[in-house]
Amino acid sequence: MDNNKKTRLVVLSGAGISAESGIQTFRGGDGLWDNVPFEEICSPIGWAKSPKRVTEFYNARRAQLAEVKPNEAHLILASMQDDYDVRIITQNVDNLHERAGSKHVLHIHGELTKVRPLDCYTSKDGFSTEYVQDIGYRPVEIGEVGGPNLKQLRPHVVFFGEEVPNLSKAARLVQQADILLIIGTSMQVYPAAGLCNYAQDGCDIYMIDPSETPASAVLGVNHIKNVATEGMKEFRDMLNKMTHTI
Ligand code: OAD
């Protein structure tokens, strides 16, 4: 079926969808930022203090990404493309949605498998991706440079305090959603957490997360209180039943 005629399912995913693949979340007791302060790693100040520490942190995460696989939640979402026009907005820097087969994935916090020279992809060049490089799963070294001015390569990840260049694209997608699914995100990081406010009247909102989040309190949000793999099965079955009874 032509994508224009399918119900548009927009997904806002976070670290929780990849937890069952073996990737640590950021918060919740034993998350990445519970053990290392994010300011030391994921901020311009952290980078200025120690580019080596930041580079090594992301090298380790990139190496881990090579070892893990998409889980059932990523796979179910990809299979739903047969029946729905699925658009994924992810806060995750992993590539598990793509590896599961999802075709429309918008990364709003960057991508682990990419790096860029320090002076490129800024507001000055209109966030041009010209010098963003795909490096796969290999480590980056301090002293490794790129771009027109041969500047140090840094992770292609949005640091706290930096602009989120894909935000307006993401907001437009949410505005066009018939169904919005929020999965595996604590909804604590703005501006990403504010994206659900762009949903139009009549958009059905679902959330899959084993914990309460600020979104669970919002009236009308259908909270499937389960882990991503089980929750995705429930969600898919729920939508199938609704389609059959219309
Ligand atoms: P968090 O670590 O803040 O939240 C993870 C959410 O996943 C929590 O609500 C958990 O309850 C839920 N969760 C845990 N295990 C789960 C499972 N098996 N299935 C489903 N849900 C599960 O992660 P994010 O909300 O993604 O930014 O964090 C947002 C941003 O903060 C990240 O993109 C990252 C971080 O700093 C950058 O790196 C720029």
Side-chain angles (χ1 to χ4, degrees):
M1 203 198 289
D2 177 354
N3 257 351
N4 293 328
K5 298 196 182 80
K6 291 178 181 168
T7 300
R8 181 167 278 199
L9 167 60
V10 176
V11 182
L12 176 61
S13 70
I17 195 171
S18 299
E20 289 162 90
S21 292
I23 297 183
Q24 226 176 332
T25 59
F26 293 95
R27 302 170 183 82
D30 194 29
L32 283 168
W33 300 154
D34 295 316
N35 299 313
V36 190
F38 72 81
E39 299 88 341
E40 298 284 319
I41 302 293
C42 192
S43 81
I45 291 172
W47 175 271
K49 235 166 119 181
S50 177
K52 186 169 182 288
R53 186 173 182 201
V54 175
T55 298
E56 284 171 357
F57 176 89
Y58 285 103
N59 282 347
R61 298 202 63 216
R62 201 177 297 116
Q64 185 205 20
L65 184 54
E67 304 299 320
V68 302
K69 289 197 191 102
N71 64 48
E72 190 77 10
H74 300 104
L75 293 169
I76 292 174
L77 266 179
S79 74
M80 288 180 80
Q81 293 174 122
D82 293 342
D83 299 313
Y84 296 87
D85 176 12
V86 181
R87 306 290 164 134
I88 297 174
I89 302 163
T90 188
Q91 296 171 81
N92 297 344
V93 292
D94 67 47
N95 56 7
L96 297 181
H97 282 300
E98 289 91 336
R99 280 161 59 191
S102 283
K103 293 195 186 82
H104 303 285
V105 184
L106 179 68
H107 287 267
I108 56 175
H109 288 166
E111 291 171 77
L112 260 185
T113 53
K114 294 181 180 170
V115 293
R116 64 179 194 253
L118 272 179
D119 60 343
C120 296
Y121 193 78
T122 66
S123 53
K124 281 191 202 138
D125 61 21
F127 296 103
S128 161
T129 53
E130 186 176 358
Y131 297 106
V132 174
Q133 301 174 26
D134 201 326
I135 57 158
Y137 302 105
R138 76 166 176 83
V140 178
E141 306 295 332
I142 292 298
E144 207 178 325
V145 294
N149 303 314
L150 301 178
K151 293 285 186 191
Q152 174 67 42
L153 297 177
R154 62 159 271 180
H156 185 49
V157 167
V158 176
F159 290 158
F160 281 90
E162 291 183 327
E163 266 186 74
V164 179
N166 283 336
L167 191 72
S168 42
K169 266 191 211 161
R172 270 198 302 280
L173 282 175
V174 176
Q175 280 171 337
Q176 294 159 358
D178 297 309
I179 302 171
L180 175 66
L181 170 65
I182 302 164
I183 178 165
T185 169
S186 62
M187 304 290 279
Q188 287 191 34
V189 175
Y190 281 82
L195 279 170
C196 52
N197 297 324
Y198 289 87
Q200 301 290 292
D201 285 350
C203 170
D204 292 328
I205 308 182
Y206 294 82
M207 188 181 98
I208 300 174
D209 200 298
S211 307
E212 299 289 331
T213 82
S216 11
V218 176
L219 206 64
V221 173
N222 188 339
H223 186 179
I224 300 171
K225 212 167 172 185
N226 212 333
V227 293
T229 51
E230 291 305 316
M232 272 309 300
K233 287 180 205 158
E234 279 180 50
F235 173 69
R236 179 194 52 196
D237 294 349
M238 224 183 252
L239 291 199
N240 280 346
K241 269 190 207 135
M242 280 162 56
T243 315
H244 291 141
T245 50
I246 283 170

